[in-house]
Amino acid sequence: MILTKAQYEEIAQCLVSVPPTRQSLRKLKQRFPSQSQATLLSIFSQEYQKHIKRTHAKHHTPEAIESYYQRYLNGVGKNGAAPVLLELANEVDYAPSLMARIILERFLQGHEQTPPSKSVINSMLRDPSQIPDGVLANQVYQCIVNDCCYGPLVDCIKHAIGYEHEVLLRDLLLKKNLSFLDEDQLRAKGYDKTPDFILQVPVVMLCPLAVEGHIIHWIESKASFGDECSHHAYLHGQFWSYWNRFGPGLVIYWYGFIQELDCNRERGILLKASFPTDIVTLCHSTA
């Protein structure tokens, strides 16, 4: 789904004061019925992550942490089964999984002689049964399963979706009888920063692909919506590096992108929202 900047901003504006819940996502779908659920979810998640980054610091001052921890203790003291942490996170407009991390770290600091390591915290968030307090374990679990933008559960889902689309792209390349090297093969050859697929011919000679009159040498799969913030980060962190090393390439944003961002075609980076059907293989002569 390709959106104009104006269409994207209309959706983003609706998310300014919306809590990150599944109910909010359903309302967003009702407001924009022509947009796919996957596209709206990707925009929803990206906009909320921007909000969290802007407000992150205020939730991590010593005063804020102690205030949250005391409110947690008071809440579970009255009713340990109530979703105290989840309600606290929603009240202060912070991601439930991140609130759970704050409280878990503070709890461990008060019960351990040494500060807990990041690996220990991450392990307990992935598996709350490791937390040495049953009430807190249940509170953390509630936060994890009710957070649709952050946390280990969301991370696993995002990783699985990303891998699923890479497999889909691989299958489409094979159906087109296009020879390629994937990311693992390229790393085995010593490349440290690589796109998902480099196009080649069986004799390992570069075989560029023509898409809408443009020649590409590599394809990158992104199982997300390409907004201005994420696309510019990818350009400077990945795409231009691929261009410098391998030449022009194609980026597929499977959940769509802002139309105005597809402005680097002449410089060698094309954007699409699906695998191109109008492709022509151009093999180099061996003469």
Side-chain angles (χ1 to χ4, degrees):
M1 183 69 68
I2 301 176
L3 306 179
T4 65
K5 187 174 182 180
Q7 288 175 315
Y8 170 80
E9 290 177 346
E10 183 183 4
I11 296 173
Q13 187 61 35
C14 289
L15 298 173
V16 171
S17 58
V18 171
T21 63
R22 293 175 179 85
Q23 183 180 6
S24 297
L25 183 59
R26 286 194 291 270
K27 290 181 179 179
L28 191 66
K29 177 60 177 174
Q30 292 172 359
R31 174 69 176 79
F32 300 96
S34 63
Q35 309 299 336
S36 73
Q37 183 87 354
T39 295
L40 291 175
L41 177 58
S42 185
I43 295 174
F44 182 89
S45 178
Q46 289 169 341
E47 288 300 309
Y48 185 66
Q49 288 171 14
K50 292 175 193 174
H51 168 72
I52 291 298
K53 289 177 182 178
R54 288 193 299 266
T55 61
H56 176 81
K58 76 174 186 179
H59 296 290
H60 285 263
T61 65
E63 296 79 13
I65 292 172
E66 197 58 33
S67 172
Y68 295 157
Y69 189 60
Q70 291 305 319
R71 291 182 63 179
Y72 159 73
L73 291 177
N74 291 337
V76 296
K78 296 175 182 177
N79 185 355
V84 176
L85 267 189
L86 182 60
E87 290 177 353
L88 175 59
N90 291 334
E91 180 184 333
V92 301
D93 195 16
Y94 200 49
S97 293
L98 300 184
M99 178 60 75
R101 177 182 287 274
I102 288 176
I103 300 303
L104 177 59
E105 288 180 349
R106 175 62 181 83
F107 169 83
L108 292 175
Q109 287 170 2
H111 290 75
E112 305 288 341
Q113 293 186 354
T114 58
S117 67
K118 186 176 181 180
S119 61
V120 168
I121 296 294
N122 289 339
S123 179
M124 289 183 176
L125 290 172
R126 286 193 298 269
D127 179 12
S129 67
Q130 298 177 21
I131 298 173
D133 180 277
V135 173
L136 179 56
N138 182 54
Q139 294 287 327
V140 169
Y141 174 78
Q142 290 177 13
C143 286
I144 298 299
V145 299
N146 284 285
D147 195 327
C148 58
C149 295
Y150 280 94
L153 182 59
V154 171
D155 290 341
C156 287
I157 293 172
K158 286 182 177 179
H159 178 77
I161 291 174
Y163 180 72
E164 177 185 1
H165 284 81
E166 288 180 18
V167 171
L168 171 62
L169 179 54
R170 176 191 294 272
D171 290 344
L172 290 169
L173 290 170
L174 291 172
K175 286 180 180 178
K176 290 287 185 179
N177 294 318
L178 298 171
S179 186
F180 57 84
L181 292 175
D182 62 26
E183 197 171 12
D184 292 334
Q185 292 171 313
L186 289 165
R187 285 178 178 167
K189 290 178 175 290
Y191 293 106
D192 57 345
K193 186 175 288 189
T194 68
D196 292 319
F197 298 98
I198 292 286
L199 303 172
Q200 63 162 29
V201 292
V203 292
V204 200
M205 294 182 63
L206 191 62
C207 180
L209 197 69
V211 179
E212 298 173 359
H214 296 270
I215 294 176
I216 64 171
H217 299 260
W218 52 267
I219 304 178
E220 177 75 3
S221 172
K222 293 296 182 188
S224 62
F225 182 86
D227 67 358
E228 194 167 8
C229 182
S230 62
H231 182 63
H232 286 165
Y234 286 138
L235 273 175
H236 296 291
Q238 297 179 350
F239 304 158
W240 288 126
S241 295
Y242 303 161
W243 181 87
N244 285 329
R245 179 167 290 182
F246 305 110
L250 169 67
V251 179
I252 301 178
Y253 282 112
W254 294 100
Y255 299 151
F257 58 89
I258 296 174
Q259 186 176 35
E260 288 83 347
L261 296 177
D262 192 17
C263 58
N264 291 301
R265 290 188 162 222
E266 299 307 318
R267 297 180 64 188
I269 296 179
L270 287 73
L271 305 185
K272 297 282 285 185
S274 61
F275 186 76
T277 56
D278 51 344
I279 56 177
V280 178
T281 304
L282 306 172
C283 296
H284 291 301
S285 170
T286 58

